[in-house]
Amino acid sequence: MTTKQDIVSRVLKGRPRRLRSAGSAFAPSNIALCKYWGKRDDDLNLPVTSSLSVSLGRLGSNVTICLREKSDSVVLNGKRFERGSSLARRVSEFLDLFRPDRRTFFKVVAVNTIPTAAGFASSASGFAAMTMALDDLFGWELDQRELSILARLGSGSACRSVYEGFVEWRAGKRPDGMDSFAEPLKAKWRGLRMGLVVISDKEKNIGSRPAMKRTRETSILYRVWPVKVAEDLPDLKQAIHRRDFPMLGKTAESNALAMHATMIDSWPPIVYWLPESVAAMKRIWNLRENGLNVYFTMDAGPNLKLLFLKQEATAVKKAFPGVQIVSPFGD
Ligand code: PMV
C-alpha cells in the first residue's frame, strides 16, 4: 500500500535542495463548477470522479514558511493557533511529510485575502500555497503537476489551487495516485463573475472529509454521482469553449444540487442548508424567471456562490446587497 510519505519521496527524488531562510507563495481559492465529492482512497485523497473549478484571482492565501526549533507554529491572519487546535494539527501533519529530520520544525504565517471569517475559509488555497512556499524554501524547483500532486495530500481540492482560471482535476486510475492531479484549461472567460453570498460564518458541524465518507458509505443516490459527473464535465467544458453562459450556469447549479442530494440521502442525513440558503436559492430562481441570468453553486456549507456575467452585476447587487463580487479572470 502506498503512503503519503511514499508519494513525497517519489516526487522529491533526485531534487536539488538549496535551503533559503524563508519561502513564500500565493495560491488562489477555487470554487468547483463540477464538484469533487467522495474519495476512492481516503488517505491519499484520491477522488471517485474528476472535477472542474474556477480559481478566484487575487482571493486566496499568502503563505510564508521558515524553519525553526522546538515546535511548529501556525499564524493565520495575525492569530496564533494553539498546538492542539484542529487547524494546527492538520498543518503539522502535512508538514510531517516534508521535515528534513524529526527535530526540524516550521513556522507558517498565512494571510488569507478571502474572507475567512465570512464562511469562505478554504483549505484549498492554504494547502496549495503551503506546498508552493515549501518548494520555494527548499529550492526543489517542482513543476506545477508535481506541486498539484503534493498539494492534494493536504486537501483534495488544493490540487486545483495551484493554477489560475479554469482547472480540471483528473481523477486518475492508479492506486498510488501519481496520475491524479489538476491541469489548467486554456480558455479564459473575461466578464465572468462570481458573487459570494454569506448566509452564516459559523463553523459547519461536519467537515467535508467525514461527510464525503458517510455519503459514499450510506447514500444509494451516490451510486449515480459518477454518472452525473460524466454528463456535467463535458457539458461544462463545452459551455466554456462556446462561451455559453446559460449552459455553464445550469450545469454548475444542477451539479451542486445533485451533490447536496447525495448528502441528504446519507444516514444520518447531512444537510448544510439553512432556511436562509433555501430562501436565497428561491430568490435566484425567481430572478431567472424574470429574465436575469444568474445561477448558483454551493459547497459543504450554507453559503452560496453566484455565477453571472459582468453586465448583470448591478442587478445582482440590488437583489443581494451584501454580495462580494469576484472577477476570476481579473478584468
Ligand atoms: O478538498 P476538501 O476536502 O476541502 O473538499 C472539497 C469539497 C467541495 O468543496 C464540497 C467540492 C469541491 O470540489 O471543492
Side-chain angles (χ1 to χ4, degrees), residues 80-137:
R80 207 193 141 131
F81 278 74
E82 291 296 324
R83 255 204 286 166
S85 70
S86 65
L87 182 117
R89 271 215 310 270
R90 222 175 136 196
V91 169
S92 282
E93 260 174 48
F94 183 64
L95 294 172
D96 283 346
L97 300 169
F98 305 99
R99 280 181 222 287
D101 58 68
R102 291 244 223 92
R103 273 162 305 155
T104 304
F105 297 92
F106 297 92
K107 177 174 184 179
V108 179
V109 178
V111 178
N112 283 348
T113 51
I114 183 119
T116 312
F120 291 100
S122 167
S123 52
S125 56
F127 280 107
M130 253 197 301
T131 308
M132 290 151 78
L134 285 166
D135 180 58
D136 190 36
L137 173 72

Side-chain angles (χ1 to χ4, degrees), residues 9-275:
S9 309
R10 221 174 286 176
V11 171
L12 297 183
K13 196 169 168 220
R15 286 287 156 176
R17 223 174 76 189
R18 283 182 288 272
L19 188 67
R20 299 171 44 162
S21 56
S24 300
F26 168 80
S29 296
N30 77 75
I31 302 293
L33 303 175
C34 179
K35 306 294 182 186
Y36 146 55
W37 196 251
K39 304 179 205 231
R40 65 183 159 90
D41 184 312
D42 287 327
D43 185 45
L44 299 179
N45 289 339
L46 296 177
V48 170
T49 69
S50 296
S51 58
L52 193 149
S53 61
V54 60
S55 289
L56 294 190
R58 278 172 293 118
L59 288 191
S61 306
N62 284 294
V63 169
T64 299
I65 300 188
C66 57
L67 296 181
R68 78 195 285 266
E69 289 170 3
K70 285 207 182 118
S71 62
D72 292 333
S73 145
V74 181
V75 179
L76 172 62
N77 295 339
K79 183 178 162 236
R80 207 193 141 131
F81 278 74
E82 291 296 324
R83 255 204 286 166
S85 70
S86 65
L87 182 117
R89 271 215 310 270
R90 222 175 136 196
V91 169
S92 282
E93 260 174 48
F94 183 64
L95 294 172
D96 283 346
L97 300 169
F98 305 99
R99 280 181 222 287
D101 58 68
R102 291 244 223 92
R103 273 162 305 155
T104 304
F105 297 92
F106 297 92
K107 177 174 184 179
V108 179
V109 178
V111 178
N112 283 348
T113 51
I114 183 119
T116 312
F120 291 100
S122 167
S123 52
S125 56
F127 280 107
M130 253 197 301
T131 308
M132 290 151 78
L134 285 166
D135 180 58
D136 190 36
L137 173 72
F138 288 115
W140 297 320
E141 297 176 1
L142 299 177
D143 62 28
Q144 283 180 300
R145 179 176 294 189
E146 291 164 325
L147 290 170
S148 180
I149 289 176
L150 295 185
R152 196 198 72 224
L153 303 177
S155 154
S157 55
C159 78
R160 299 185 309 235
S161 272
V162 167
Y163 306 94
E164 300 285 347
F166 293 114
V167 180
E168 182 179 1
W169 173 10
R170 293 175 204 277
K173 285 202 165 71
R174 288 172 56 147
D176 66 2
M178 292 305 283
D179 56 353
S180 185
F181 48 78
E183 284 190 324
L185 304 192
K186 280 199 191 80
K188 290 189 174 36
W189 193 329
R190 294 195 194 288
L192 186 69
R193 295 289 181 268
M194 201 161 257
L196 309 182
V197 176
V198 181
I199 303 293
S200 166
D201 60 3
K202 296 220 173 63
E203 208 175 315
K204 44 200 180 200
N205 46 16
I206 175 165
S208 54
R209 175 176 285 259
M212 278 183 202
K213 197 166 158 54
R214 192 190 296 171
T215 308
R216 217 187 145 207
E217 286 170 355
T218 66
S219 163
I220 286 176
L221 290 188
Y222 186 77
R223 294 181 196 166
V224 290
W225 173 247
V227 178
K228 174 76 178 147
V229 172
E231 285 200 4
D232 289 349
L233 251 182
D235 281 0
L236 281 168
K237 284 196 209 165
Q238 203 174 92
I240 292 167
H241 182 69
R242 293 194 202 146
R243 300 288 184 279
D244 182 337
F245 181 72
M247 186 177 181
L248 182 92
K250 178 201 163 248
T251 311
E253 184 173 308
S254 152
N255 184 271
L257 288 169
M259 173 182 74
H260 282 270
T262 68
M263 297 175 188
I264 295 168
D265 183 49
S266 303
W267 200 263
I270 302 161
V271 182
Y272 285 109
W273 299 347
L274 293 173

Side-chain angles (χ1 to χ4, degrees), residues 284-296:
I284 291 162
W285 294 328
N286 199 272
L287 289 167
R288 271 215 306 272
E289 267 168 31
N290 288 300
L292 191 72
N293 249 327
V294 56
Y295 297 82
F296 69 85

